[in-house]
Amino acid sequence: MNARSHARHVVDQFGAQASAYVTSAVHAAGADLDRIGERVRARPGLRVLDLGCGGGHVAFAAAAAGAAVTAYDLSADMLAAVSAEAARRGLDRIETRQGGAEALPFPDASFDAVLTRYSAHHWRDVPAALAEARRVLRADGFLIVSDIVAPEDPLLDTHLQALELLRDPSHVRDYRVSEWRALLEAAGFAPGDATPSRPRMEFASWIARMRTPETHVAAIRALQVTAPAEVAAHFAIEADGSFLLDAALIEARPKPGR
């Protein structure tokens, strides 16, 4: 068997689909993205890190709101797509840097804000990544995490993780809100309330973005068709496989003295 590292899985999955994530309607809009833009606009002149920038939508929103942004991602192809789109939009305050979330190549207290959206469920070591985010964040700065989250109910949680992994082998975990709060606390943050949302995943585009193999698509549909009533109701599974996910935005501030 020719095994690949998790980092290689991430690069392989997302590099080839960089342009799809730049243009993805699911990623390009949302109340959480609006909220991020508002928070950045409220503090002019911020230095922002978009951690796991993906298609760059957080970087674009923050730069449009007046921040100087470092878009940081594991995939060089993704970063090239972000640079091209930033130039197309006339956003000249976005720079790109390549690397993993668990070891950031920046000095302590480099940023006024660290923002991450739809990325952390791919991180191999979330505690290490959050510790790094805390290290590079100024004492008066803020962190915003916006991601898909797992329901607290184990039945629903297990179903979600199974579908995610079948769709995308670079998936690690959609964390529960309770897990996020514990992870943030342990990393030296004081988390605020979680703002929930329920994005709809249109099935055909959801699997197309990841080039999910047909055998895995069939397995996902089989799990959906045979899902218990509680699962089908919670995720509002439709006849074509489209469904609702749970997402949450959590803003956190560094704890004093850390």
Side-chain angles (χ1 to χ4, degrees):
M1 190 167 100
N2 208 4
R4 293 178 291 170
S5 69
H6 175 69
R8 188 72 251 167
H9 268 304
V10 173
V11 170
D12 289 348
Q13 286 296 111
F14 288 93
Q17 294 297 96
S19 61
Y21 274 83
V22 171
T23 59
S24 166
V26 171
H27 294 80
D32 61 334
L33 200 57
D34 295 340
R35 167 89 172 268
I36 288 168
E38 290 168 4
R39 290 291 291 110
V40 172
R41 194 171 293 107
R43 291 179 58 177
L46 291 183
R47 184 88 176 86
V48 167
L49 175 63
D50 181 1
L51 182 55
C53 67
H57 301 293
V58 166
F60 305 148
V69 183
T70 298
Y72 183 80
D73 201 89
L74 198 57
S75 168
D77 290 334
M78 196 71 84
L79 292 172
V82 170
S83 292
E85 181 64 13
R88 190 189 71 79
R89 296 186 186 201
L91 298 172
D92 58 3
R93 301 190 72 197
I94 297 176
E95 65 171 7
T96 60
R97 291 286 297 274
Q98 184 181 6
E102 296 85 357
L104 302 180
F106 309 110
D108 295 356
S110 299
F111 298 98
D112 303 294
V114 175
L115 313 173
T116 185
R117 180 176 184 255
Y118 294 166
S119 174
H121 58 273
H122 297 289
W123 297 349
R124 178 67 181 81
D125 189 340
V126 168
L130 291 178
E132 279 289 88
R134 175 65 188 87
R135 180 184 65 78
V136 303
L137 188 61
R138 290 169 51 97
D140 61 347
F142 62 92
L143 167 75
I144 293 179
V145 174
S146 182
D147 205 1
I148 302 303
V149 293
E152 297 290 334
D153 183 321
L155 173 66
L156 304 178
D157 185 341
T158 297
H159 181 88
L160 173 64
Q161 309 300 340
L163 264 58
E164 290 270 47
L165 190 57
L166 282 167
R167 175 197 178 233
D168 171 14
S170 72
H171 176 74
V172 177
R173 176 164 177 75
D174 294 323
Y175 293 90
R176 304 175 187 184
V177 170
S178 60
E179 291 175 314
W180 267 117
R181 297 189 67 83
L183 287 163
L184 290 164
E185 289 274 0
F189 290 99
D193 293 336
T195 302
S197 60
R198 300 216 72 199
R200 179 181 179 271
M201 298 296 109
E202 192 275 321
F203 190 81
S205 59
W206 182 67
I207 59 171
R209 279 196 299 276
M210 283 289 96
R211 299 168 297 149
T212 305
E214 284 300 321
T215 53
H216 288 204
V217 173
I220 291 169
R221 292 296 287 127
L223 284 176
Q224 289 182 319
V225 169
T226 60
E230 300 93 329
V231 171
H234 178 84
F235 293 106
I237 300 171
E238 301 173 28
D240 70 347
S242 300
F243 63 102
L244 299 182
L245 283 173
D246 297 283
L249 180 148
I250 304 174
E251 184 171 340
R253 294 188 176 275
K255 292 180 183 176
R258 289 289 295 267

